[in-house]
Amino acid sequence: MKTIAIEGVKNGCPITYNVSQLIMGSGNFLRRDDMEHIDRMFDTFLHVGGNLIDTAHQYGRCERKIGAWLNTSGRRSELMILTKGAHHDDGEPGPRVNPQAITNDLLESLERLRTDHVELYALHRDDPTVEVGPIIDVLNEHIACGRIHAIGASNWTHERIQAANDYASSHGLIGFTFNSPNLSLAKCRVPRWEGCVSAGREMCAWHEGNGMPLLSWSSQASGFFTGRFTPDRRDDAEMVNVYYTPDNWERYARADRLAEEKGVSRMQIALSYVLHQSFPTAALVGMETVEEVLSSVDGLAIEITEQEVRWLDLLEGGEGHAE
């Protein structure tokens, strides 16, 4: 499986993690108590070359199930972990992006995961009223203690990430080396949830300029391209509010056309779009079955050109595209 490089620090020394472009999302574990099924999912994911799972302090049961699997399988060395913390209203009211909340969430996540470190750690939300300095300071304390090896942001604007990295650079500290916003072929009309950030053209241009890896959550737009949704079917209020726009239905039509030409599915085209940006990307996919793991892996093999990416994204005319 293709990988992207994420820089970190382990035991005081620089380290490069080669992260699989397909990242297993753990949200679906909330609905599954069958550890045999979870074991099959991990076994398949690792077998096909996947090596990173995404979770969060807010997904408490997910972290515990991952920890239970790690404890019984003995395969911690084969799997990298990305967990997140400092989510709003996670056990207390209001924004929680502060050193105390970050520390509390991290230590509890490590306990749930039954590990003494995570390879990647991201802040799940932002609070622009908090200065970046104390945030970077406390994250560096945990890096120095070996609890985390690389830090990033989820649902931060690129301007705030840049400000944090400028602070880190000027103080001889480690800054964010990855970003994890939403990026998908279907664009969010409004934030999916309060405080969520999607990668628009300005953020993508920023990533193109500095090469920072982007790990996309909801990379397939919550199944927008599955065929379960049509302009006339409006029973899912959240999907209608977030994704039902004329531009997204045009993207859907173009994905359908390109999928037919290549003999693949629309969902695989949507995944390929995320993975063929002009900067390093990986896709978080909430795979529920072994079959979905294998289908996603097949999607990784699909090649689309830069012009096809632009055509899918409505940046090229609708009359045709590069074959």
Side-chain angles (χ1 to χ4, degrees), residues 10 62 92 99 147 190 307 313:
K10 181 179 180 180
C62 296
E92 58 187 81
R147 299 184 184 105
V190 294
Q307 185 172 353
D313 210 8

Side-chain angles (χ1 to χ4, degrees), residues 47-66:
H47 178 74
V48 298
N51 62 16
L52 178 64
I53 186 164
D54 169 82
T55 188
H57 181 267
Q58 195 191 37
Y59 318 153
R61 292 183 63 214
C62 296
E63 288 188 322
R64 292 187 183 94
K65 290 175 182 178
I66 295 167

Side-chain angles (χ1 to χ4, degrees), residues 89-308:
D89 300 316
D90 193 353
E92 58 187 81
R96 303 175 58 256
V97 188
N98 58 71
Q100 181 178 352
I102 291 168
T103 296
N104 290 345
D105 287 2
L106 173 60
L107 295 180
E108 189 166 12
S109 288
L110 293 175
E111 182 179 358
R112 293 169 177 171
L113 291 163
R114 305 192 196 187
T115 186
D116 62 359
H117 73 282
V118 291
E119 286 75 12
L120 278 61
Y121 192 76
L123 298 179
H124 209 164
R125 289 288 191 273
D126 189 18
D127 180 357
T129 68
V130 177
E131 294 291 333
V132 295
I135 296 171
I136 290 296
D137 289 342
V138 72
L139 290 171
N140 272 258
E141 290 173 12
H142 292 297
I143 292 173
C145 292
R147 299 184 184 105
I148 50 182
H149 298 165
I151 56 175
S154 181
N155 301 303
W156 280 43
T157 66
H158 64 280
E159 292 91 348
R160 279 278 286 178
I161 296 173
Q162 187 62 60
N165 281 359
D166 289 345
Y167 174 89
S169 178
S170 66
H171 289 77
L173 299 171
I174 298 161
F176 294 136
T177 58
F178 67 94
N179 182 23
S180 185
N182 164 249
L183 172 65
S184 60
L185 176 56
K187 310 305 178 188
C188 294
R189 185 185 70 84
V190 294
R192 181 86 181 276
W193 298 287
E194 184 180 359
C196 287
V197 172
S198 294
R201 291 179 186 172
E202 289 186 8
M203 180 178 280
C204 287
W206 179 81
H207 275 276
E208 184 174 4
N210 60 32
M212 180 183 286
L214 186 153
L215 315 182
S216 170
W217 59 262
S218 198
S219 59
Q220 294 176 304
S222 297
F224 181 79
F225 296 94
T226 59
R228 297 196 305 267
F229 305 101
T230 66
D232 295 331
R233 182 173 179 177
R234 308 180 70 85
D235 55 315
D236 190 321
E238 181 180 80
M239 290 296 291
V240 170
N241 187 41
V242 175
Y243 292 114
Y244 277 39
T245 67
D247 280 354
N248 279 339
W249 290 120
E250 175 61 22
R251 293 183 178 100
Y252 183 102
R254 294 189 183 196
D256 192 53
R257 174 180 165 185
L258 192 59
E260 185 175 356
E261 290 178 6
K262 294 181 180 290
V264 299
S265 71
R266 285 185 303 270
M267 286 287 280
Q268 289 172 326
I269 290 295
L271 176 62
S272 189
Y273 164 85
V274 171
L275 300 179
H276 284 83
Q277 298 296 308
S278 55
F279 48 87
T281 56
L284 279 65
V285 180
M287 301 166 284
E288 296 191 35
T289 65
V290 166
E291 290 72 23
E292 288 184 3
V293 175
L294 299 176
S295 175
S296 296
V297 172
D298 288 342
L300 297 180
I302 298 169
E303 294 293 335
I304 60 177
T305 67
E306 179 181 353
Q307 185 172 353
E308 286 170 336

